[in-house]
Amino acid sequence: MDDVLVAFRTLDDTGSGVVERSTIEPVLKELLQCDDNFMMELLEPHRNTYVGKEFVDYISLVKWIFGGEAKTRKVDRRGSQTNDERMGELAWLRELSASVPAACRRVIVSHRGFHCTSDRTLRPIENTLPAYEMAWSSGIVTCECDIQATADGYLVLNHDENVSRLALMAQDSRYRKGKHEAGISQVTLKQLVASPMVSGVRQPLLREVLDSAKVFEQAQLIVEVKPGGQNIASALITFFVENRHYLNHVPVVMSFDPDVVFHFCKHWPAHLQRPKVLQLTIKKSAYVPEPFERLVDFDKGDVSADVEALMCRDGVRLDGVYMEWTELMLGRCSDWLKALCSRYTVGVWQNAGEPDCLGMCSRLANLGVSHVNTDFPKGFLREYVGKVRPEDREASSLFASVVPAPDGSAGGVWVERPSRDAMLRRLRDEEFDILIIGGGATGLGTALEATRQGYRVALVERGDFACGTSSKSSNMIHGGIRYLQAFVKNPDGASEQINVVRKGLAEQNYMYNCAPYCVHPCPFMVACYDEAEQDVYGKLLAKYDELGSDDPFPESHWNTKKETLFQFPQLRQEGLIGSFVYYDGQQDDARMAALIALTAVEGGAAVSNYVEVKSLVKDGGITTGAIAKDMEGSATFKIHAKVVVNATGPFTDAILKMDQGTATPGIIKPAAGTHVVLPDHFSPNRTGLAILETSDGRALFYLPWMGQTIVGTTDHLSEIKPLLEPPEADIEWIIKEVNRYLNPDQTPARHRDVLSAWIGIRPLAQGLQSATGTKETQGEGGTKSVPREHAVIVSESGLVTITGGKWTSYRHMAEDTLEQAIQVGGLPPPRCQPKGDGTATFEQGFVGTRAGANRDYQQLKLACSAPFHSDIVELRQRWRFPRDVAENLVASYGTHAVEVACIARRGERDGFAERLAEGYPWIMAQVVYGVRREYARTVADVLSRRTRLAQVDVLAAYDAVSRIVDVMAAELNWSNARVQTEVRETFLFLKSCGLDFVKKQRLNL
C-alpha cells in the first residue's frame, strides 16, 4: 500500500499539468485492488488534476479505462419519450407556442433545439436531431445550432459531452495538440462516430439537421460556427455551394471568431444569396475572455462606436452582432439598443439561468432585436408559468415583468447587482469619500444616506449584514410610547419627550412607505385592571394618536371586558375591566437591513460582508482609510477614504482602541436583551400585548411575529462577544412575567413552549438612555427623563463614531453621522440639505417597491395589504404556492418576489419549491436567491437573516442544515472541508438561538 501512495504522488511531479496515460496506468491498476474508501481518501486531493483543460474524476476514469462498473453500466439509448408521452407533450407545446404573440414568436430562437430537463431518459438531448425535430414540431420556427468541422472536413453539431469524451481520446498523442483540449477538428468522422456520447446518442451532421428543416418547410436554423479560423469557414462555404437548397433555411451564420465570419463574408460566391453574417460578442464580467472574443460593454452607455468598429475589416463589412444579454439592454441602455437595431441586424444570447422568458423576448422584439436565444421550453414560457397565456396577466401585476401584455407594454427588468468579488475589487482600487466600518442598521443607513447625497461610499462588515444587534431586536418600528408617561405625569414639562415621540412616529411612517411590504401595523393590547390604569393609558394613547395623526396606521380604541376576552381569551380575568388597543409598526429587522444594504448597492455604494478591518491607516495623524482582510480569501488590502466612520455597535470600543491605543477607556455599556419565541396561540387573532410596567419597572412586549409569538426583552449588563447564548435565567424571567397576565387555568407559558431564544446587545454609551432600560443599565442618578439615545463622537484623528440608538431612529443617526463626516472629511456640500424638522431628506423607496429603489415613493394613506393583495393571489392561484408561502415571499421581497418564484418553479425538480421545514413559509428557492442576489455566504446567513427560521424555531433550523448545506455547496462550489466547517459553525451559531435550552426542554435531552 505504501508503494501505491508513493507512486500516486508522483503524478504531481510531471509539472506539465497533463497526466499521461503511460504515467498513471501502473498506479491505477494497483488502485483497482483497493477498497473504495481508500480510493476516495487517496484521490480527493487530486480531484483538480486535469486532462487538457478538463477536471477529471479519477475514480470514474479508473473504472472506465480498466473495466470497472462503467463498462457494465446500462445506457438508455432511447434519447426521447415513448410515442404516447411525446405526442401528449407536443400537443401542449403547440398550444403553448400558439399563445405567443406573432411579433414575439418571430424573434424567438430555440437554442440547440428542444432543451432537455434533468431527466434525460424522457427528453431528447439538446443539439441532437430529435431535439430540433421536437422544437420545430411544436411550432417554433427558428432554432440555433453549434457546428465544428472534423479533421476530414465533415460539419457536425457540437455537444458539451464531447469535451470529456474527447479528453479521454486525447491521452493518445495522435489526438492531442500541445496542451489544448482535444476537439472535433482533431478527429475524423469515423473516429467520432466510433466513440458515441455517454447518452448513446450520435452527434448529427449539419446536413441531417437541415434535411429535417426542409421537411418542416418554414423551419429556420441559425448556424453558430465554433472558433477554428479560415479552414472551418471554407468548409462551410463549400457545403452551401454544393447544397444551395439549404440556404432557404439558414438566415444567419455567426461566430465568436472574427477570422471565421470575415473569411466567410470575403470568400462567399457573388452569385449566391448569402445568409446574414453576425459577430458574436460578450459583455463585461469577471470571466476572462478568450483572445478572439469581442467585448461590447453596455456599462459605458452608448456602444454604437464599439459595434461599428467590429463591423469592418479589410474592406469586408458584416451584417450585425449577436450580443450577450445584459439587463441594461432593457434599462438605461434601451434607447441605444433600439438605435443599434435600426442600423444593424442584432441578436441576443444568454447564459444559463438568465431571464430568457417570454416577457424579455417581447420587450427586446419591440426594440427591434431580430433574434433572442431561449432554452425552449425550459426558458420560454417555462413550466412555472402554469401554461397561462400572456393576455391573462394584468398590466399592473407584479409579475408583468415575466410575461407582459401581448404588446410588451407591461414589464420590468431586474437590476444587476455587482458580485462580491466585484465589490472587493472596488474596495481595493477606488478612493472613497466615506468608509463605514460596520454593517448593522446604523452603518447601512449611513451608507444609503451618503450614497443618495452623492458621495462615494464604501462599507465593510466582518460578519454578515445585521449579524449582531440589528437582527436581534423586538422587530418593532415605534414612536416610544413609554416616553409619554412623563407627559401624563407633567404635560407642561414633557416637551422633549413629545418631540422624541413625534420624530419616532414620523420615522415609522417613513419606513412604512419605504418598504410597505416589510413593515405593517401591529395591534397591541394594553389590559387595564382598575380605573386608574384606564385613565392613565387613555390619556397616554390619546396623545400618541394625536402625534401620529399623519401616519396611515389606525387610531387606538377601547375594548370592553367581553371584547377583550374575545380577542385575547387567555388573559387573566380577575379584576379586568377592559383594554386599549393601539397600533405600532412591526418589521422583519434582518430583512429590513438587507433591503437597506441592497438599496445602497443599487445606488452605487461598494458594500461587502465578511471583510474585517485589521488596522486604521493614518496620514499625519489623520485617519485616511483602513487595512482590511477578506475573511474568505484571507487577502489583506488597503481601503482609501477621506473620512472613516465607526458604526460597529457593541464593538465600538475595539475600533476606538485601534484608533487611540489599547489604553483608551471604553465608552460602551453593553445592555443585553433576551427575546423568547413561543407558539402562535400565545398571540391570538394576531394581536400583541404591551406590558408597560413589569416587576422591575420596565416594558415588555408580547406580539405576533412570523406566525409565532415573540416576547422581550430583558435588560442587564453583559460581556461583549459575537455569539452569546441566552441565559436560562432570562428565559425563566420572561416566562414568569408573561404568566402574570395569563389565566393560569387556560394556557400558561411553560419552558417546553419555548421555540427559540436569542440575546442582542444594545450599545449604550456612557450617559445615553433608553426608554426600556433598568437601573442596572441606566445607572443611579442617570438621565432617564432625558431621552438622549445616540451620540456622534469625533476623535483627534478624525475618526467619526456613532453609537447608541434604536432601529426606529437609524435614519436620524445616519443624518447626524453624515453631517459630522462631511465636516471632518472636508467633503463638498450634500445634494439636499436635511430639512431640520425630523422628516426624511429623501422620500425614496427601497428595493422591492413598485417605483424601484432610490426613486420617490407615493405616500400611502392607509396601512393595509391592498397594494400587494393581487400579487399574493397570483402567487397562490397561478404559481401554485400555499397562502403562507405566497404572503412570506411578498413580505420579504416585495416586487422581487417574482425572482424567487422563478427560481422555485425552474428548480422544482431540484426541490427549490420545497419548504425548509414543515409548517414554516420559507422555501429552498430563498436559499438560492440569498446566495445569488443577496450576498449570503454561510448557512447561518440564510437561517437567521435571509430567512428567519433560526429565530422562529431553532429545532426546525437544526433539522434543515444538511439540505441548505447541499444547495449552498453547489451554488458556491464549496470543498468537502468547507462543508464540514460550515456544519460545525452553523451548530455553534444555533446555540446562540437557544438550541441547548430548547433541546433540553422539548426533547428531554
Side-chain angles (χ1 to χ4, degrees):
M1 192 62 67
D2 292 338
D3 294 338
V4 173
L5 288 169
V6 171
F8 190 77
R9 287 173 185 140
T10 63
L11 291 177
D12 290 335
D13 296 337
T14 62
S16 65
V18 178
V19 179
E20 297 285 351
R21 178 168 178 158
S22 60
T23 303
I24 66 172
E25 184 169 345
V27 181
L28 295 179
K29 285 182 176 179
E30 290 291 333
L31 286 176
L32 282 176
Q33 308 305 315
C34 306
D35 60 58
D36 285 349
N37 289 334
F38 177 78
M39 289 177 67
M40 285 295 296
E41 182 179 347
L42 185 63
L43 296 175
E44 183 62 34
H46 299 272
R47 223 171 249 287
N48 288 351
T49 306
Y50 53 88
V51 174
K53 291 184 178 179
E54 291 302 308
F55 289 164
V56 174
D57 180 345
Y58 271 102
I59 294 178
S60 298
L61 178 60
V62 168
K63 293 179 178 179
W64 187 86
I65 293 175
F66 295 104
E69 63 183 36
K71 183 178 262 187
T72 59
R73 180 170 58 88
K74 292 183 179 180
V75 177
D76 189 334
R77 299 179 182 275
R78 289 178 297 166
S80 61
Q81 303 124 305
T82 65
N83 287 338
D84 289 345
E85 291 171 328
R86 183 179 174 112
M87 293 306 296
E89 186 147 83
L90 278 176
W92 172 68
L93 291 171
R94 289 193 186 101
E95 180 184 348
L96 180 150
S97 178
S99 71
V100 180
C104 188
R105 193 186 305 122
R106 173 180 54 81
V107 307
I108 291 173
V109 178
S110 182
H111 175 61
R112 296 184 170 186
F114 183 106
H115 256 251
C116 67
T117 65
S118 57
D119 188 351
R120 293 193 168 196
T121 65
L122 295 180
R123 290 183 175 179
I125 308 297
E126 64 266 23
N127 231 18
T128 61
L129 192 56
Y132 292 96
E133 291 174 345
M134 194 165 194
W136 284 323
S137 296
S138 70
I140 289 298
V141 174
T142 307
C143 292
E144 182 263 2
C145 71
D146 306 341
I147 68 164
Q148 286 184 307
T150 63
D152 47 353
Y154 288 92
L155 297 173
V156 297
L157 270 64
N158 180 59
H159 190 277
D160 291 340
E161 265 189 36
N162 295 342
V163 179
S164 58
R165 180 165 57 93
L166 295 175
L168 294 175
M169 294 174 62
Q171 293 184 71
D172 189 319
S173 59
R174 292 174 297 171
Y175 302 137
R176 190 176 66 250
K177 183 179 180 181
K179 292 186 180 180
H180 298 291
E181 67 182 37
I184 290 176
S185 61
Q186 296 165 254
V187 297
T188 65
L189 180 63
K190 180 178 179 181
Q191 292 163 339
L192 197 63
V193 173
S195 180
M197 292 184 286
V198 173
S199 62
V201 179
R202 178 179 63 82
Q203 289 167 277
L205 294 164
L206 176 62
R207 180 192 307 274
E208 293 174 300
V209 179
L210 287 171
D211 282 339
S212 290
K214 287 178 62 181
V215 172
F216 290 99
E217 296 182 356
Q218 301 299 318
Q220 300 286 292
L221 185 67
I222 292 176
V223 176
E224 177 188 340
V225 185
K226 290 298 183 181
Q230 300 177 2
N231 291 339
I232 191 170
S234 297
L236 188 59
I237 292 173
T238 301
F239 173 81
F240 283 127
V241 169
E242 295 175 353
N243 303 277
R244 60 186 65 187
H245 53 283
Y246 291 142
L247 288 173
N248 293 331
H249 300 279
V250 181
V252 170
V253 172
M254 60 186 182
S255 179
F256 282 106
D257 190 343
D259 290 344
V260 170
V261 289
F262 281 105
H263 184 86
F264 188 86
C265 278
K266 184 175 182 179
H267 296 280
W268 183 263
H271 65 280
L272 286 182
Q273 182 176 349
R274 174 175 58 77
K276 291 188 176 181
V277 181
L278 309 184
Q279 173 70 57
L280 275 159
T281 67
I282 61 172
K283 66 184 177 184
K284 186 177 180 181
S285 70
Y287 162 74
V288 179
E290 297 288 346
F292 54 79
E293 290 180 322
R294 297 294 180 260
L295 173 69
V296 174
D297 183 9
F298 273 89
D299 288 341
K300 295 166 53 178
D302 188 356
V303 297
S304 56
D306 295 342
V307 171
E308 179 62 29
L310 299 176
M311 290 294 97
C312 298
R313 191 172 84 176
D314 299 332
V316 177
R317 184 175 181 83
L318 305 179
D319 298 296
V321 287
Y322 219 94
M323 300 184 292
E324 184 176 4
W325 156 259
T326 169
E327 277 149 348
L328 295 175
M329 290 178 175
L330 296 183
R332 59 183 173 86
C333 295
S334 59
D335 289 340
W336 290 317
L337 178 61
K338 188 174 183 179
L340 280 179
C341 293
S342 67
R343 299 173 60 188
Y344 314 109
T345 298
V346 176
V348 173
W349 67 276
Q350 303 168 77
N351 285 308
E354 291 183 328
D356 54 357
C357 54
L358 176 59
M360 190 209 70
C361 295
S362 179
R363 297 196 67 192
L364 290 173
N366 288 340
L367 293 174
V369 172
S370 301
H371 307 286
V372 182
N373 276 27
T374 67
D375 291 348
F376 173 77
K378 193 167 58 174
F380 179 47
L381 286 185
R382 301 187 185 276
E383 295 175 359
Y384 64 73
V385 178
K387 307 175 189 177
V388 177
R389 295 177 301 171
E391 53 265 34
D392 292 335
R393 294 186 178 272
E394 296 293 334
S396 60
S397 167
L398 169 67
F399 308 104
S401 59
V402 179
V403 182
D407 63 357
S409 60
V413 295
W414 301 324
V415 176
E416 286 185 302
R417 296 170 188 152
S419 66
R420 182 174 180 275
D421 288 342
M423 295 286 198
L424 292 175
R425 285 195 296 272
R426 286 191 61 194
L427 292 172
R428 285 192 298 263
D429 299 341
E430 297 182 19
E431 181 175 350
F432 298 93
D433 294 321
I434 303 172
L435 166 62
I436 300 165
I437 308 172
T442 306
L444 293 170
T446 304
L448 177 57
E449 198 72 13
T451 300
R452 288 176 169 177
Q453 290 287 15
Y455 299 109
R456 293 169 298 173
V457 179
L459 180 145
V460 294
E461 162 61 49
R462 74 173 178 179
D464 187 28
F465 307 125
C467 64
T469 309
S470 297
S471 62
K472 299 178 176 69
S473 73
S474 298
N475 289 280
M476 294 171 59
I477 302 294
H478 60 100
I481 193 169
R482 286 203 79 202
Y483 288 135
L484 292 183
Q485 289 176 322
F487 163 78
V488 174
K489 295 175 182 176
N490 181 13
D492 297 329
S495 59
E496 202 166 347
Q497 285 84 352
I498 288 173
N499 190 44
V500 168
V501 174
R502 181 183 288 110
K503 287 183 177 181
L505 291 172
E507 289 303 299
Q508 176 180 266
N509 188 22
Y510 164 75
M511 292 186 71
Y512 177 69
N513 282 281
C514 282
Y517 51 91
C518 188
V519 178
H520 62 271
C522 178
F524 288 86
M525 181 177 286
V526 183
C528 297
Y529 286 87
D530 57 49
E531 292 183 356
E533 284 186 338
Q534 181 181 3
D535 181 61
V536 169
Y537 293 146
K539 291 178 181 178
L540 186 152
L541 291 171
K543 188 65 176 178
Y544 204 59
D545 289 341
E546 176 190 331
L547 295 174
S549 59
D550 293 334
D551 69 41
F553 289 9
E555 288 77 19
S556 64
H557 61 272
W558 169 256
N559 286 333
T560 64
K561 180 177 180 179
K562 289 182 179 180
E563 291 169 324
T564 299
L565 292 174
F566 175 77
Q567 292 190 25
F568 220 114
Q570 64 265 57
L571 270 182
R572 180 168 57 86
Q573 298 181 21
E574 182 182 356
L576 180 69
I577 63 173
S579 65
F580 286 100
V581 174
Y582 74 97
Y583 293 82
D584 259 333
Q586 188 178 43
Q587 66 166 348
D588 177 343
D589 54 10
R591 287 297 315 161
M592 182 63 73
L595 296 175
I596 297 172
L598 297 173
T599 305
V601 167
E602 292 192 8
V607 176
S608 184
N609 52 357
Y610 294 100
V611 174
E612 182 179 15
V613 169
K614 306 301 289 186
S615 62
L616 298 176
V617 175
K618 296 187 179 182
D619 184 1
I622 302 300
T623 302
T624 58
I627 301 296
K629 177 183 178 181
D630 176 12
M631 302 295 285
E632 291 190 355
S634 299
T636 58
F637 52 92
K638 184 183 294 186
I639 305 174
H640 299 276
K642 296 176 182 176
V643 61
V644 177
V645 172
N646 173 16
T648 52
F651 302 95
T652 294
D653 287 342
I655 301 298
L656 289 177
K657 292 178 186 295
M658 196 180 289
D659 174 45
Q660 302 169 24
T662 55
T664 305
I667 66 168
I668 295 298
K669 195 161 49 168
T674 298
H675 289 85
V676 167
V677 173
L678 301 172
D680 59 346
H681 62 260
F682 286 97
S683 52
N685 203 26
R686 296 192 177 187
T687 300
L689 188 67
I691 303 173
L692 299 183
E693 287 291 340
T694 61
S695 58
D696 63 353
R698 58 191 311 279
L700 190 72
F701 293 94
Y702 175 105
L703 61 153
W705 183 71
M706 296 290 165
Q708 306 295 0
T709 304
I710 182 175
V711 188
T713 173
T714 59
D715 189 78
H716 56 80
L717 293 179
S718 169
E719 61 178 326
I720 301 176
K721 63 179 185 178
L723 295 178
L724 285 172
E725 293 189 40
E728 193 164 330
D730 281 14
I731 298 174
E732 291 178 350
W733 182 86
I734 288 175
I735 291 174
K736 180 180 177 181
E737 288 298 316
V738 165
N739 284 334
R740 288 178 59 218
Y741 282 80
L742 297 182
N743 188 336
D745 298 327
Q746 297 279 334
T747 51
R750 297 162 297 184
H751 289 77
R752 65 174 178 268
D753 290 320
V754 175
L755 298 174
S756 66
W758 69 89
I759 188 168
I761 304 174
R762 290 182 298 131
L764 289 179
Q766 301 289 346
L768 298 187
Q769 301 298 324
S770 166
T772 58
T774 60
K775 288 182 178 180
E776 182 183 358
T777 57
Q778 306 299 337
E780 296 293 337
T783 57
K784 188 170 183 178
S785 62
V786 182
R788 187 169 65 88
E789 292 195 326
H790 73 267
V792 182
I793 304 165
V794 180
S795 72
E796 292 182 2
S797 72
L799 176 69
V800 178
T801 295
I802 172 68
T803 188
K806 58 184 180 182
W807 247 112
T808 307
S809 60
Y810 88 91
R811 195 196 58 80
H812 283 301
M813 298 167 67
E815 276 191 348
D816 292 347
T817 304
L818 183 57
E819 180 182 4
Q820 287 292 334
I822 292 170
Q823 295 178 11
V824 171
L827 303 180
R831 287 175 179 170
C832 300
Q833 289 293 336
K835 299 175 183 178
D837 59 356
T839 58
T841 307
F842 297 96
E843 293 184 344
Q844 297 178 342
F846 298 158
V847 294
T849 53
R850 292 191 181 278
N854 300 308
R855 295 184 180 179
D856 291 349
Y857 57 67
Q858 185 176 359
Q859 287 275 355
L860 298 173
K861 302 300 182 183
L862 296 173
C864 66
S865 61
F868 302 99
H869 181 70
S870 61
D871 303 329
I872 294 171
V873 170
E874 187 163 0
L875 277 172
R876 294 179 63 188
Q877 291 184 345
R878 294 179 178 172
W879 291 61
R880 311 183 305 281
F881 288 113
R883 174 179 175 175
D884 61 333
V885 172
E887 290 177 344
N888 175 68
L889 289 177
V890 173
S892 298
Y893 307 100
T895 57
H896 287 275
V898 65
E899 293 189 69
V900 185
C902 287
I903 292 171
R905 291 306 175 208
R906 290 179 190 178
E908 199 155 7
R909 294 196 179 197
D910 297 319
F912 291 170
E914 296 175 4
R915 297 174 186 263
L916 297 186
E918 187 62 34
Y920 293 102
W922 297 284
I923 58 177
M924 293 302 297
Q926 293 175 264
V927 179
V928 179
Y929 184 78
V931 172
R932 294 178 184 174
R933 295 277 281 160
E934 295 187 334
Y935 308 106
R937 310 300 295 178
T938 71
V939 176
D941 295 347
V942 169
L943 282 173
S944 180
R945 293 173 288 276
R946 304 309 183 276
T947 73
R948 306 312 306 276
L949 185 59
Q951 268 74 25
V952 170
D953 189 334
V954 69
L955 282 185
Y958 182 89
D959 289 340
V961 169
S962 61
R963 295 175 62 222
I964 295 174
V965 166
D966 287 345
V967 171
M968 294 189 72
E971 289 289 323
L972 295 171
N973 196 28
W974 285 345
S975 65
N976 286 345
R978 170 64 192 270
V979 167
Q980 294 170 12
T981 300
E982 195 65 36
V983 170
R984 286 195 300 269
E985 292 184 352
T986 302
F987 290 155
L988 286 175
F989 168 78
L990 292 177
K991 287 178 179 288
S992 73
C993 297
L995 179 62
D996 289 345
F997 179 87
V998 174
K999 274 186 175 181
K1000 175 182 175 182
Q1001 299 298 329
R1002 291 173 64 191
L1003 303 180
N1004 296 318
L1005 296 179

